[in-house]
Amino acid sequence: MPKVGMEPVRKKALIHATIAEIGEAGTLEVTVSQIAKRAGMSSALAHHYFGSKEQMFLATMRYVMREYGETVLSNLKAATTPEARIRAITDSSFDSSQFEREVIAAWLNFYVRALRSDQTRRLLQVYARRLHSNLIHDLKKLFEPEIAEEIAQGLASLIDGFYVRSALQESVPEIGQIKAMVNDYLTLWLERKNRGA
């Protein structure tokens, strides 16, 4: 008989184990048995909670996205201007809770999986739309709509690019340098605007 109240605890343990296994393997080609073993439970129990490996991956992705969303909301609390809000959003992508090797590997593998899985693609589209919406909300307060769109695309591309580089390269800049480079992109646009270019 399962212990009452243990399901959320065990599901979270399995999600953390999934992130760790993907990070270690560098691929989604990990088994439910490997994940369950890392979480300290049987693969039968893991299947009971999630039904399939696909559902376990989707639950893990939702968890990572929820954690990212909470980081964004937390960082936005201290931002009082449109510029500060944009910087808070981009900085959130490189928060220490998000920019860990295992989480980066999970994101990258989810992007690859989206090529074959409609459910994964839909989840990634939710993330992309939310990021775009958050950025464009404040960019339109600073720039003409078409320029705001261009900057939002540029910022999102820089974020994605640094995730890819961090997953695939041995040597990447430190988090502080990455944040500064992404922030420099916005600064260049603001300077261009101030010069009337």
Side-chain angles (χ1 to χ4, degrees):
M1 183 74 120
K3 292 181 184 174
V4 176
M6 286 303 292
E7 182 173 343
V9 174
R10 287 179 175 154
K11 278 186 169 181
K12 191 169 184 179
L14 285 163
I15 285 168
H16 282 282
T18 302
I19 294 169
E21 282 295 320
I22 292 169
E24 192 172 291
T27 175
L28 292 177
E29 300 306 316
V30 295
T31 65
V32 173
S33 178
Q34 289 172 296
I35 293 166
K37 184 177 179 184
R38 184 179 285 263
M41 60 189 85
S42 69
S43 56
L45 196 55
H47 277 290
H48 168 73
Y49 287 134
F50 290 104
S52 68
K53 186 167 79 167
E54 172 80 4
Q55 290 307 310
M56 189 179 295
F57 286 155
L58 290 169
T60 300
M61 189 173 167
R62 286 187 194 98
Y63 173 81
V64 169
M65 289 172 63
R66 202 166 35 251
E67 290 282 300
Y68 169 70
E70 287 171 10
T71 300
V72 171
L73 288 175
S74 174
N75 289 341
L76 282 173
K77 286 179 183 172
T80 57
T81 66
E83 181 182 342
R85 287 176 56 82
I86 296 162
R87 295 187 193 281
I89 293 164
T90 58
D91 282 356
S92 295
S93 295
F94 305 104
D95 188 85
S96 59
S97 66
Q98 294 298 311
F99 210 61
E100 296 174 338
R101 188 178 65 81
E102 292 85 3
V103 177
I104 292 168
W107 273 108
L108 192 62
N109 281 285
F110 288 138
Y111 270 95
V112 172
R113 189 167 188 83
L115 298 172
R116 301 189 315 256
S117 164
D118 289 340
Q119 287 182 296
T120 305
R121 187 180 311 112
R122 280 194 294 273
L123 270 179
L124 281 171
Q125 286 170 348
V126 167
Y127 154 74
R129 281 195 299 268
R130 193 170 298 152
L131 174 61
H132 182 267
S133 173
N134 285 339
L135 289 170
I136 209 72
H137 174 77
D138 288 293
L139 283 166
K140 282 185 176 178
K141 295 176 183 174
L142 298 171
F143 299 93
E144 293 296 319
E146 58 210 38
I147 299 296
E149 288 285 345
E150 185 176 343
I151 298 168
Q153 284 295 328
L155 289 169
S157 297
L158 283 168
I159 292 166
D160 289 346
F162 277 117
Y163 269 74
V164 171
R165 290 177 73 86
S166 294
L168 301 178
Q169 294 185 352
E170 292 282 326
S171 177
V172 292
E174 293 180 359
I175 290 176
Q177 291 175 289
I178 291 172
K179 286 181 180 180
M181 285 188 268
V182 175
N183 278 313
D184 283 348
Y185 179 78
L186 178 59
T187 300
L188 289 169
W189 275 102
L190 289 167
E191 288 173 352
R192 183 176 173 184
K193 176 191 170 190
N194 292 335
R195 287 195 309 267

